[in-house]
Amino acid sequence: MTSEAHIRLVGDDLDERSLALRRLVVRGLDGGKRGHLGSAFSLIEILRVLYDDILRFDAKQPRWADRDRCILSKGHGCLALYAILADKGFFPAEELDRFCRFDGMLGGHPERAKVPGVEASTGALGHGLSIGLGQALAMRLQKRDSRVVVLMGDGEINEGSVWEAAMSAGKHRLSNLVAMVDYNKLQSYDRTAVVQDLEPLTDKWRAFGFAVHEVDGHDVDQLRRVLSSLPFEGDKPSAIICHTVKGRGIAEAEGNPTWHHKSKISDDEVAAMYAELD
Amino acid sequence: MRKTSLDSVYEMARHDPRVVFIGSDLGAGTLDTFKEEMPERFFMEGVTEQNIIGMAAGLAMEGFIPYVNTIATFITRRCFEQVAVDLCLHNLPVRLIGNGGGLVYAPLGPTHLAVEDIAIMRSLPNMTVVAPVDKEEMARFVPQTLDMPGPVYIRLAKGGDPIVSRAEAGFEIGKAIEMRAPGDILLIATGVMTNRALDAAAALEAVGGLDCGVLHMHTVKPLDETAVLDLAGKVRGIVTLEEHTLVGGLGSAVNDLLGDCLGRDAPPVLRLGIPDRFPDKYGTQDDLLGYYGLQPDTIANSVREFASRHLG
């Protein structure tokens, strides 16, 4: 229950893998000429470490019973999820070119029935932790050692349903459940501190029965170290507050609320993003 | 009816390890035997309806069959988005058992009445909506839900309702039961309104000799369209009866079907139900049913007037 986060965010160089995943996000953005870029870019390192180093899965058997479950509860960040799932071979990267299109597989929010690797259809906020709670209870009942990771946004956890689920997870002492908050400090309208202040956020999760760590959500080594130590306490669910920067990787988008969602993205803008992520 | 439905859940759980029970903050002693014998599959999660629906969805995704129980209005209105997205969009086998459908909680006022539950549940793709007439029918129905692929909403009545269903008529989800052969008029009712419809039909025959059939539409969604359309061709008028707002319930479903399929050839329809305003009285369920003209004597009067207008 300690904080490893020494918050050191903007200005650090992203490595080639982080840049490549962001380029896949831009590919989707280009395909749909729209998307929640800021919300996707704050998630990249979290998803990268989960899928590279932590989660047990088989892209060829997306519903393998013994996989770990990872729910993107902040469904609007789906371009980041699509990027890592395409990277891992759940589906061809060409699908990104049809993002949000009429007959595309990848919509503006992820759907379980359509996209291999998507565990829950999300987009309406505040649903994922309850679904993850149910899955974690199911894993316990079935005596599987699979873990359930739920990724939430900071704006998302304004929803009361998140705290209903948190209370229940604490009660059930679900050590196989991991709640991760992409704390980029910016929701759609303005800073979270202005719209609906979440602080003291760590204390909140702790009070609901979670063992909590804070991390720099763009520091791959730190994420790996913290995620490798799950569960933080043997009989508690775990929460990880990931301090991130919305739009991380594109200077103009970083911390800029107008980049929460972008539509009518031009070819020039796409070219500029590719150049910056080269 | 409630006890019968929960006893059925217990029996299914004894024989099928996929069955789990989730309650909110139900009355002390509810399903104690279930809890004692299968504690790992018995959940009482507190007043967290949104969470309960999501949790049920997560369990169902992993192969369990959750039966969720709380007060009807809280399992439909409070967590509507969770029901729509987590259950219906994912098309998961979760069963919602709603206590006190309709006007059962009359003394508790409009916060506790479930008079639009059928409308909002039937508006959702993949949802099945069932309102049995008595506990014996409930006992025939609940076991059939076990292997249904999608979500089901089960509307419970008050309990102690008169037994009018018959074992020999059987029970099949989505298949209406003709409880009285049609004459000039067909009464179509759901839930406990079917017993009022039967009483009204008997009174109409006894006094004035008006011959009315009764079709028990226990399943409002999917509606038994074949039964309605077949009988619509044999009668001169249809009256729908529901302990529910006239907006979007059984009457609307029947009217939509007749309009879509028969157009101007459809027989005239009278819809009896609750007007589009919040109930402003307390008392008992029977008091409120009387207030809205939904007891046998007032139903009979309305049908008589309808018949005199349309049958000449």
Side-chain angles (χ1 to χ4, degrees), chain A residues 89-252:
Chain A
F90 281 87
F91 51 81
E94 286 70 31
E95 290 292 342
L96 288 161
D97 301 329
R98 302 192 298 147
F99 175 63
C100 281
R101 293 195 187 180
F102 179 73
D103 58 353
M105 179 179 82
L106 306 176
H109 293 95
E111 292 195 59
R112 174 181 166 100
K114 290 186 177 172
V115 188
V118 167
E119 292 288 349
S121 301
T122 55
L125 297 175
H127 290 233
L129 192 57
S130 293
I131 294 172
L133 166 81
Q135 290 181 318
L137 285 166
M139 295 304 105
R140 178 188 279 179
L141 283 167
Q142 293 169 345
K143 301 189 176 11
R144 294 184 201 282
D145 65 352
S146 300
R147 280 191 292 229
V148 181
V149 178
V150 180
L151 300 178
M152 288 169 285
D154 47 14
E156 172 176 22
I157 65 174
N158 295 168
E159 293 279 9
S161 55
V162 170
W163 301 100
E164 289 185 6
M167 197 156 37
S168 187
K171 175 185 104 166
H172 289 292
R173 311 189 81 78
L174 283 168
S175 57
N176 58 349
L177 181 66
V178 187
M180 298 184 76
V181 180
D182 176 11
Y183 195 11
N184 58 37
K185 321 291 188 300
L186 204 57
Q187 51 197 110
S188 179
Y189 179 76
D190 200 342
R191 291 180 297 125
T192 55
V194 173
V195 177
Q196 187 62 270
D197 196 2
L198 299 170
E199 293 298 337
L201 188 55
T202 308
D203 290 347
K204 282 192 174 76
W205 287 97
R206 202 168 282 144
F208 279 77
F210 285 67
V212 191
H213 271 271
E214 289 183 78
V215 297
D216 174 343
H218 296 297
D219 183 328
V220 172
D221 293 334
Q222 206 182 105
L223 278 164
R224 205 177 279 136
R225 200 158 53 240
V226 168
L227 284 164
S228 297
S229 66
L230 287 167
F232 302 142
E233 288 184 41
D235 62 347
K236 287 185 179 180
S238 304
I240 307 175
I241 313 299
C242 304
H243 294 279
T244 58
V245 173
K246 198 155 178 168
R248 178 83 167 95
I250 299 286
E252 190 195 333

Side-chain angles (χ1 to χ4, degrees), chain B residues 158-174:
Chain B
K158 186 176 184 186
D161 305 276
I163 305 299
V164 297
S165 69
R166 289 169 293 115
E168 59 270 27
F171 188 94
E172 188 181 331
I173 294 164

Side-chain angles (χ1 to χ4, degrees), chain B residues 117-133:
Chain B
D117 55 333
I118 290 174
I120 61 181
M121 289 296 104
R122 72 177 272 269
S123 72
L124 297 171
N126 297 327
M127 181 63 85
T128 294
V129 178
V130 180
V133 64

Side-chain angles (χ1 to χ4, degrees), chain A residues 65 67 69 111-112 119-121 124-127 129-135 137-139 141-142 159-161 164-165 167-168 171-172, chain B residues 20 40-41 43-59 61-64 78 81-83 85-86 89-90 92:
Chain A
R67 73 193 183 282
R69 277 74 171 159
E111 292 195 59
R112 174 181 166 100
E119 292 288 349
S121 301
L125 297 175
H127 290 233
L129 192 57
S130 293
I131 294 172
L133 166 81
Q135 290 181 318
L137 285 166
M139 295 304 105
L141 283 167
Q142 293 169 345
E159 293 279 9
S161 55
E164 289 185 6
M167 197 156 37
S168 187
K171 175 185 104 166
H172 289 292
Chain B
V20 300
E40 72 289 352
R41 285 188 281 141
F43 299 96
M44 193 64 70
E45 293 304 296
V47 193
T48 63
E49 292 86 359
Q50 298 178 85
N51 176 55
I52 284 170
I53 300 298
M55 170 181 156
L59 282 157
M61 284 173 181
E62 304 301 339
F64 289 93
R78 179 59 174 237
E81 187 181 85
Q82 279 76 12
V83 174
V85 176
D86 301 352
L89 177 60
H90 290 91
L92 293 169

